[in-house]
Amino acid sequence: MMATANYSHHFSHRNIPFGIASSQNHEKPQAVSRLGNTILFLHDLHVHGIFKESKNIPENVFNQPTLNSFAALPKGEHRYVREKIQEVFRHHGLEGFPSASKEDADATTMHLPITIRDFTGTFCILVVRCIF
């Protein structure tokens, strides 16, 4: 297994991904992002007012075990969250985020980020029939 540090260059301030993670300090899986080897717990950022300028982000949208509710928001909200994280990082580095919202990537566990319901794999069935 590769060390997490080998992937840190993929997570600069230009690439703000969304995912679901948990840790000893954040036992319940919840929405996160990543900068280098630092995982940012988005609910903590929201509670600390980082996203306060948006009136369209529900209070507990980041404190859920999947990204489904966040993904259902308008794309402008996703962009806003990314831009706010980039802005804070650009002006203050990682020190601009509340200490309780940050954890080393090696101390976290990633989880499946979305729940897929009512999926019918018709195409998958057709492919399997063609192969066999």
Side-chain angles (χ1 to χ4, degrees), residues 48-59:
H48 281 86
I50 301 281
F51 309 125
K52 66 184 174 198
E53 294 163 6
S54 173
K55 304 297 181 215
N56 299 318
I57 298 177
E59 185 176 328

Side-chain angles (χ1 to χ4, degrees), residues 7 17 27 41 48 55 58-59 63 65 79 82 88 93 97 112 126:
Y7 296 105
E27 293 179 5
F41 285 81
H48 281 86
K55 304 297 181 215
E59 185 176 328
N63 200 22
R79 189 175 321 108
R82 279 191 177 99
V88 170
F97 300 101
L112 187 64
L126 293 174

Side-chain angles (χ1 to χ4, degrees), residues 16 18 42 45-46 48-58 61-62 70 73-88 90 97:
I16 305 295
F18 298 118
L42 300 180
L45 299 183
H46 193 49
H48 281 86
I50 301 281
F51 309 125
K52 66 184 174 198
E53 294 163 6
S54 173
K55 304 297 181 215
N56 299 318
I57 298 177
V61 73
F62 298 122
F70 178 62
L73 295 175
K75 288 188 188 276
E77 297 306 314
H78 308 158
R79 189 175 321 108
Y80 168 77
V81 170
R82 279 191 177 99
E83 289 171 355
K84 283 310 271 185
I85 291 170
Q86 290 168 329
E87 178 184 319
V88 170
R90 212 173 23 253
F97 300 101

Side-chain angles (χ1 to χ4, degrees), residues 31-35 38-42 45 85 97 101-102:
V32 297
S33 190
R34 181 173 173 169
L35 283 167
T38 301
I39 301 297
L40 299 172
F41 285 81
L42 300 180
L45 299 183
I85 291 170
F97 300 101
S101 71
K102 302 179 290 189

